[in-house]
Amino acid sequence: ATTLGASAAERGRYFGTAVAVNKLSDTAYATILNREFNSVTAENEMKIDALEPSQNQFNYANADRLVSHARSRNMQVRGHTLAWHSQQPGWMQNMSGTALRSAMLNHVTQVATHFRGQVVAWDVVNEAFADGNGGARRDSNLQRTGNDWIEAAFRAADAADPNAKLCYNDYNTDNWTWDKTQAVYRMVQDFKTRGVPIDCVGLQSHFNSGSPYPSNYRTTLSSFAALGVDVQITELDIEGSGTTQANTYRNVVNDCLAVARCTGITVWGIRDTDSWRASGTPLLFDGSGNKKPAYDAVLSALNNG
Ligand code: G3I
């Protein structure tokens, strides 16, 4: 096929992008979005601070705009993210202990209920492990409520929307030899053993010089999949340009296609100028909306790889 989404669909997968809702009125942006992608993730509009700016006062307007844009065009929606140490509203940042635990679980329940049947997969918990060696949990107000906060969030999400795929999502979990990857692997293994409802693992896959695409990436994908979960590449971007960047994108796509339970790929933005990275050219379209060599590599891998 001739677009990313249609080509991925022929391989039984989706190809998505992060969307900034305020850019839907940018015609060049919306044209590429609607032509190329069959899955969307809100870049910021489904985060805790966006949806619950005051405690128990939910504001779904921007998120609902994206969901309706997507559903009217047969795009799937990935939900991002129900529980996270970052982008908490001020009222939550100042909470701790049982009050915070209850507020977090209430947020998970309310939001997953609001979007029930509309979100295919949720990043239930995002970035709960620390960087560096040791594989420890990241310190945060949520972690300080007790080590079981992650499974509590998954159980609440499962109760609110039993049909959504429930994912654990993180970065620097791409290299199979890194302690952080192994720590997440052990948590997922433990959840599967004990029947905690987890369906998928999201590998953000923000690749740059400090965290490059690893040659063992396919091993990471297949190892998680072997635990009985889907794997999704959830926030892909790759620093660089030209042929080198295109080759890395091709490798990532081929690795996903080689693993039956790698169900889809999301890039973290459309044009280089849409990227969260202040500088660099990590995406598939240039600032003018032209297809880059990386785009051609991804499309051809989806069709031939
Ligand atoms: O909306 C406000 C605007 O009103 C204000 O004028 C402006 C001034 O700074 O800030 C705007 O909010 C910013 C928001 O993006 C929307 O542009 C926030 O400051 C900024 O922190 C926020 O950055 C987002 C970042 O997550 C926050 O953690 C990025 O757009 C988003 O791409 C990035 O995405 C994360 C994933 O959620 C998790 N994985 C890593 C990934 C990249 O960092």
Side-chain angles (χ1 to χ4, degrees), residues 18 22 42-44 47 80-81 84 86-87 126-127 169 171 204 206 235 237 268 274-277:
N22 64 5
E43 188 173 1
N44 288 294
K47 292 174 180 176
H80 174 82
T81 174
W84 190 21
S86 183
Q87 279 181 282
N126 194 40
E127 300 175 359
N169 192 54
Y171 66 91
Q204 294 185 10
H206 294 290
E235 304 183 15
D237 51 24
W268 204 242
D274 299 316
S275 173
W276 66 287
R277 291 194 187 278

Side-chain angles (χ1 to χ4, degrees), residues 6-294:
S7 301
E10 290 178 354
R11 310 300 294 269
R13 291 167 173 84
Y14 65 82
F15 204 98
T17 182
V19 170
V21 172
N22 64 5
K23 290 179 185 164
L24 289 175
S25 55
D26 171 340
T27 307
Y29 180 89
T31 299
I32 302 172
L33 169 65
N34 297 342
R35 185 186 69 220
E36 296 288 343
F37 297 97
N38 58 4
S39 175
V40 294
T41 306
E43 188 173 1
N44 288 294
E45 295 81 356
M46 289 192 191
K47 292 174 180 176
I48 312 172
D49 58 352
L51 294 184
E52 195 178 356
S54 308
Q55 189 168 13
N56 259 314
Q57 306 274 309
F58 290 84
N59 181 356
Y60 293 113
N62 288 329
D64 284 346
R65 272 183 65 202
L66 179 61
V67 170
S68 83
H69 183 99
R71 286 167 60 83
S72 66
R73 291 168 179 80
N74 285 318
M75 300 169 177
Q76 297 183 8
V77 179
R78 291 194 83 261
H80 174 82
T81 174
L82 294 171
W84 190 21
H85 69 278
S86 183
Q87 279 181 282
Q88 293 181 0
W91 62 266
M92 185 181 276
Q93 292 176 33
N94 295 326
M95 290 181 91
S96 62
T98 52
L100 173 62
R101 176 69 72 98
S102 305
M104 179 274 284
L105 293 175
N106 180 59
H107 182 87
V108 171
T109 299
Q110 297 295 324
V111 173
T113 300
H114 176 84
F115 292 107
R116 180 162 52 208
Q118 308 194 325
V119 164
V120 171
W122 269 111
D123 293 331
V124 177
V125 171
N126 194 40
E127 300 175 359
F129 282 79
D131 288 306
N133 296 332
R137 292 284 183 88
R138 175 194 298 276
D139 179 54
S140 72
N141 61 346
L142 291 168
Q143 179 63 29
R144 290 191 291 270
T145 71
N147 209 48
D148 62 342
W149 73 276
I150 299 179
E151 62 193 83
F154 274 85
R155 292 189 197 282
D158 183 52
D161 188 353
N163 293 324
K165 298 272 192 188
L166 304 180
C167 306
Y168 176 78
N169 192 54
D170 215 329
Y171 66 91
N172 286 355
T173 48
D174 315 291
N175 190 320
W176 180 239
T177 68
W178 287 13
D179 284 2
K180 188 172 175 182
T181 310
Q182 292 296 316
V184 173
Y185 178 84
R186 285 192 299 274
M187 180 189 73
V188 175
Q189 186 174 46
D190 171 57
F191 281 12
K192 294 299 289 183
T193 303
R194 291 192 293 112
V196 177
I198 186 169
D199 304 299
C200 37
V201 171
L203 302 183
Q204 294 185 10
S205 306
H206 294 290
F207 294 128
N208 60 12
S209 56
S211 177
Y213 165 79
S215 57
N216 57 28
Y217 190 58
R218 192 178 295 191
T219 299
T220 304
L221 295 172
S222 61
S223 299
F224 276 108
L227 292 176
V229 290
D230 290 345
V231 287
Q232 303 182 336
I233 298 168
T234 52
E235 304 183 15
L236 179 63
D237 51 24
I238 303 174
E239 280 287 20
S241 62
T243 307
T244 307
Q245 180 183 51
N247 285 339
T248 307
Y249 266 103
R250 177 184 295 107
N251 287 336
V252 169
V253 172
N254 284 332
D255 289 342
C256 181
L257 292 172
V259 176
R261 292 198 76 155
C262 181
T263 58
I265 299 173
T266 298
V267 288
W268 204 242
I270 297 178
R271 303 163 301 197
D272 285 333
T273 44
D274 299 316
S275 173
W276 66 287
R277 291 194 187 278
S279 63
T281 54
L283 295 172
L284 300 179
F285 295 86
D286 71 18
S288 305
N290 300 305
K291 297 169 180 173
K292 294 167 55 182

